[in-house]
Amino acid sequence: MGGAIARGLVKGSVFKAADIICTACSAETLEKMRAVSPDFTLTHDNKAAARAADIIILAVKPWRIEEVTEEIRSSLDFNRHVIVSVAAGITFDQLHTFLTKNMECDGITPSPVVFRIMPNTAIAVSSSMTFVSARNASPEQTKLIVDMFNESGNAMLIEERLMGAGTALASCGIAFALRYIRAAVEGGVELGFYPKEAQEIVAHTVKGAVELLLANKSNPEAEIDKVTTPGGITIKGLNEMELSGFTSSVIRGLKACK
Ligand SMILES: NC(=O)c1ccc[n+]([C@@H]2O[C@H](COP(=O)([O-])OP(=O)(O)OC[C@H]3O[C@@H](n4cnc5c(N)ncnc54)[C@H](OP(=O)(O)O)[C@@H]3O)[C@@H](O)[C@H]2O)c1
């Protein structure tokens, strides 16, 4: 995920590769980043990277966040640093506790600027639906982080309480959309197409449906109405799918993974 974010950032206009420092445990991962851009600064030294950066993106597994924040804490300057966590399920309260451990002075704990972001796997092709939540951030800092992730697809600012719902809809949602595609491909084979042809047909049909919605800013039902001739075959197909629980299955699946 960290690599995908860096790849997205260099394609955009907010940062240049020379502005980006990548850290990892293995030389192999850093070599992969070297292949993306020779201008990245690559290091295994998280503390030095944190000291040199203004924005620190924590993109390790959730159970590693505490250990990494412990490692870089002495390098943090909360007047300057903006911390961005990609870790799923690690809350602002937890991040605050990890970042400010033993930093209480005269009963006052510092208030670091922290963002939580939740991209999906389509960030690898700059088409992520990314959620952003902010704590202690100014409007300018928030705009910068939203702009950063708009360059890798589409970014939306939400309250932290909606992160779980956003994850279900957009991160798990990629799998749900793909499962529809798989089902339609299997149906296409039954109707007489070879699997490769069926996949090409379904992928482009779904892409067309999405582009219609985005271009027309319309409601899905309005686009469906344009296809459903009274007494025609589309409405017969839709009604058959609904009889098998199509809409309720999708809603139940979304609610189950929240
Ligand atoms: N994958 C997704 O779809 C997705 C979606 C949304 C959010 N997320 C979040 O993104 C985060 C990363 O997930 P991932 O799937 O990208 O994990 P990953 O493939 O395991 O990558 C983690 C990276 O962190 C590096 N790393 C581990 N410990 C480190 C340390 N102490 N210092 C510096 N680098 C260290 C690893 O380096 P090496 O390669 O050298 O071991 C690796 O490159 C997770 O918190 C996850 O919740 C993931």
Side-chain angles (χ1 to χ4, degrees):
M1 187 49 77
I5 292 172
R7 272 191 285 275
L9 289 178
V10 284
K11 282 192 210 144
S13 59
V14 179
F15 298 101
K16 302 186 293 293
D19 296 327
I20 298 171
I21 306 169
C22 305
T23 80
C25 296
S26 66
E28 206 185 328
T29 297
L30 292 185
E31 274 316 305
K32 281 191 199 151
M33 297 315 296
R34 167 84 57 224
V36 175
S37 171
D39 294 334
F40 285 142
T41 301
L42 306 174
T43 177
H44 296 293
D45 188 340
N46 288 332
K47 283 186 186 179
R51 269 195 302 275
D54 296 318
I55 301 171
I56 300 170
I57 301 182
L58 303 172
V60 293
K61 291 286 190 199
W63 57 88
R64 287 236 159 99
I65 289 285
E66 187 170 10
E67 118 197 6
V68 170
T69 48
E70 182 87 44
E71 186 187 348
I72 63 172
R73 197 178 306 116
S74 61
S75 306
L76 296 178
D77 171 0
F78 293 141
N79 292 318
R80 175 168 68 92
H81 280 129
V82 169
I83 317 286
V84 179
S85 166
V86 192
I90 302 288
T91 63
F92 277 134
D93 286 345
Q94 287 172 297
L95 289 164
H96 185 270
T97 304
F98 298 154
L99 287 164
T100 63
K101 204 164 157 191
N102 303 324
M103 281 194 175
E104 193 180 306
C105 181
D106 296 332
I108 299 169
T109 315
S111 303
V113 175
V114 186
F115 288 88
R116 285 184 62 190
I117 63 148
M118 183 52 61
N120 64 26
T121 50
I123 198 165
V125 288
S126 299
S127 288
S128 175
M129 176 64 235
T130 303
F131 295 102
V132 179
S133 279
R135 184 176 273 191
N136 302 324
S138 66
E140 294 73 26
Q141 288 166 326
T142 304
K143 183 178 179 309
L144 176 66
I145 301 301
V146 171
D147 286 350
M148 256 170 83
F149 289 96
N150 263 328
E151 295 202 313
S152 298
N154 191 61
M156 184 185 283
L157 186 66
I158 59 168
E159 290 173 44
E160 185 185 34
R161 70 181 174 85
L162 287 173
M163 269 289 174
T167 304
L169 211 48
S171 298
C172 311
I174 286 260
F176 303 151
L178 289 167
R179 190 51 78 83
Y180 164 78
I181 290 172
R182 189 189 83 174
V185 170
E186 285 174 2
V189 176
E190 207 173 312
L191 292 175
F193 287 101
Y194 285 106
K196 250 186 150 174
E197 292 170 336
Q199 179 160 327
E200 189 181 335
I201 293 164
V202 176
H204 282 281
T205 304
V206 170
K207 189 166 180 259
V210 170
E211 281 173 3
L212 274 174
L213 277 186
L214 295 179
N216 297 342
K217 295 188 175 30
S218 51
N219 182 297
E221 212 47 43
E223 297 299 335
I224 290 172
D225 281 349
K226 293 178 193 166
V227 198
T228 47
T229 312
I233 53 173
T234 311
I235 192 66
K236 283 193 184 122
L238 280 172
N239 286 344
E240 194 57 40
M241 287 180 196
E242 290 303 343
L243 267 176
S244 304
F246 186 80
T247 301
S248 62
S249 294
V250 172
I251 295 170
R252 283 177 69 117
L254 286 166
K255 286 166 80 175
C257 68
K258 195 195 145 216

PDB file of all heavy atoms in Angstrom, residues 227-237 239:
ATOM      1  N   VAL A 227     -32.918   1.638 -20.170  1.00  0.00           N
ATOM      2  CA  VAL A 227     -32.688   0.325 -20.788  1.00  0.00           C
ATOM      3  C   VAL A 227     -33.943  -0.552 -20.751  1.00  0.00           C
ATOM      4  O   VAL A 227     -34.090  -1.463 -21.558  1.00  0.00           O
ATOM      5  CB  VAL A 227     -31.552  -0.435 -20.044  1.00  0.00           C
ATOM      6  CG1 VAL A 227     -30.991  -1.576 -20.896  1.00  0.00           C
ATOM      7  CG2 VAL A 227     -30.433   0.489 -19.610  1.00  0.00           C
ATOM      8  N   THR A 228     -34.812  -0.251 -19.771  1.00  0.00           N
ATOM      9  CA  THR A 228     -35.931  -1.176 -19.549  1.00  0.00           C
ATOM     10  C   THR A 228     -37.172  -0.787 -20.362  1.00  0.00           C
ATOM     11  O   THR A 228     -38.032  -0.043 -19.889  1.00  0.00           O
ATOM     12  CB  THR A 228     -36.306  -1.231 -18.042  1.00  0.00           C
ATOM     13  OG1 THR A 228     -36.386   0.117 -17.563  1.00  0.00           O
ATOM     14  CG2 THR A 228     -35.281  -1.991 -17.240  1.00  0.00           C
ATOM     15  N   THR A 229     -37.238  -1.298 -21.575  1.00  0.00           N
ATOM     16  CA  THR A 229     -38.441  -1.125 -22.420  1.00  0.00           C
ATOM     17  C   THR A 229     -39.600  -1.858 -21.747  1.00  0.00           C
ATOM     18  O   THR A 229     -39.419  -2.991 -21.298  1.00  0.00           O
ATOM     19  CB  THR A 229     -38.190  -1.779 -23.801  1.00  0.00           C
ATOM     20  OG1 THR A 229     -36.927  -1.351 -24.261  1.00  0.00           O
ATOM     21  CG2 THR A 229     -39.282  -1.434 -24.807  1.00  0.00           C
ATOM     22  N   PRO A 230     -40.783  -1.210 -21.671  1.00  0.00           N
ATOM     23  CA  PRO A 230     -41.921  -1.926 -21.066  1.00  0.00           C
ATOM     24  C   PRO A 230     -42.165  -3.263 -21.771  1.00  0.00           C
ATOM     25  O   PRO A 230     -42.196  -3.330 -22.997  1.00  0.00           O
ATOM     26  CB  PRO A 230     -43.096  -0.961 -21.273  1.00  0.00           C
ATOM     27  CG  PRO A 230     -42.448   0.392 -21.375  1.00  0.00           C
ATOM     28  CD  PRO A 230     -41.128   0.166 -22.047  1.00  0.00           C
ATOM     29  N   GLY A 231     -42.279  -4.299 -20.981  1.00  0.00           N
ATOM     30  CA  GLY A 231     -42.506  -5.643 -21.534  1.00  0.00           C
ATOM     31  C   GLY A 231     -41.253  -6.256 -22.146  1.00  0.00           C
ATOM     32  O   GLY A 231     -41.309  -7.342 -22.734  1.00  0.00           O
ATOM     33  N   GLY A 232     -40.118  -5.540 -22.006  1.00  0.00           N
ATOM     34  CA  GLY A 232     -38.886  -6.000 -22.668  1.00  0.00           C
ATOM     35  C   GLY A 232     -38.080  -7.008 -21.850  1.00  0.00           C
ATOM     36  O   GLY A 232     -38.476  -7.408 -20.745  1.00  0.00           O
ATOM     37  N   ILE A 233     -36.912  -7.351 -22.405  1.00  0.00           N
ATOM     38  CA  ILE A 233     -36.118  -8.431 -21.797  1.00  0.00           C
ATOM     39  C   ILE A 233     -35.338  -7.954 -20.569  1.00  0.00           C
ATOM     40  O   ILE A 233     -35.110  -8.728 -19.645  1.00  0.00           O
ATOM     41  CB  ILE A 233     -35.148  -9.067 -22.833  1.00  0.00           C
ATOM     42  CG1 ILE A 233     -34.286  -7.990 -23.515  1.00  0.00           C
ATOM     43  CG2 ILE A 233     -35.927  -9.879 -23.862  1.00  0.00           C
ATOM     44  CD1 ILE A 233     -33.191  -8.540 -24.406  1.00  0.00           C
ATOM     45  N   THR A 234     -34.936  -6.658 -20.536  1.00  0.00           N
ATOM     46  CA  THR A 234     -34.110  -6.195 -19.401  1.00  0.00           C
ATOM     47  C   THR A 234     -34.895  -6.258 -18.101  1.00  0.00           C
ATOM     48  O   THR A 234     -34.380  -6.718 -17.077  1.00  0.00           O
ATOM     49  CB  THR A 234     -33.593  -4.750 -19.633  1.00  0.00           C
ATOM     50  OG1 THR A 234     -33.036  -4.678 -20.930  1.00  0.00           O
ATOM     51  CG2 THR A 234     -32.558  -4.355 -18.608  1.00  0.00           C
ATOM     52  N   ILE A 235     -36.148  -5.785 -18.148  1.00  0.00           N
ATOM     53  CA  ILE A 235     -36.943  -5.788 -16.911  1.00  0.00           C
ATOM     54  C   ILE A 235     -37.227  -7.227 -16.456  1.00  0.00           C
ATOM     55  O   ILE A 235     -37.239  -7.512 -15.250  1.00  0.00           O
ATOM     56  CB  ILE A 235     -38.252  -4.951 -17.065  1.00  0.00           C
ATOM     57  CG1 ILE A 235     -38.909  -4.720 -15.705  1.00  0.00           C
ATOM     58  CG2 ILE A 235     -39.232  -5.580 -18.038  1.00  0.00           C
ATOM     59  CD1 ILE A 235     -38.112  -3.864 -14.752  1.00  0.00           C
ATOM     60  N   LYS A 236     -37.355  -8.131 -17.419  1.00  0.00           N
ATOM     61  CA  LYS A 236     -37.562  -9.546 -17.046  1.00  0.00           C
ATOM     62  C   LYS A 236     -36.326 -10.061 -16.307  1.00  0.00           C
ATOM     63  O   LYS A 236     -36.442 -10.735 -15.278  1.00  0.00           O
ATOM     64  CB  LYS A 236     -37.811 -10.410 -18.293  1.00  0.00           C
ATOM     65  CG  LYS A 236     -39.208 -10.262 -18.849  1.00  0.00           C
ATOM     66  CD  LYS A 236     -39.508 -11.366 -19.878  1.00  0.00           C
ATOM     67  CE  LYS A 236     -40.881 -11.124 -20.487  1.00  0.00           C
ATOM     68  NZ  LYS A 236     -40.888 -10.973 -21.927  1.00  0.00           N
ATOM     69  N   GLY A 237     -35.151  -9.729 -16.836  1.00  0.00           N
ATOM     70  CA  GLY A 237     -33.898 -10.173 -16.200  1.00  0.00           C
ATOM     71  C   GLY A 237     -33.737  -9.567 -14.816  1.00  0.00           C
ATOM     72  O   GLY A 237     -33.395 -10.252 -13.844  1.00  0.00           O
ATOM     73  N   ASN A 239     -36.063  -8.376 -12.786  1.00  0.00           N
ATOM     74  CA  ASN A 239     -37.037  -8.918 -11.829  1.00  0.00           C
ATOM     75  C   ASN A 239     -36.667 -10.328 -11.388  1.00  0.00           C
ATOM     76  O   ASN A 239     -36.848 -10.696 -10.226  1.00  0.00           O
ATOM     77  CB  ASN A 239     -38.453  -8.878 -12.421  1.00  0.00           C
ATOM     78  CG  ASN A 239     -38.999  -7.455 -12.437  1.00  0.00           C
ATOM     79  OD1 ASN A 239     -38.462  -6.579 -11.755  1.00  0.00           O
ATOM     80  ND2 ASN A 239     -40.032  -7.213 -13.213  1.00  0.00           N
TER      81      ASN A 239
END
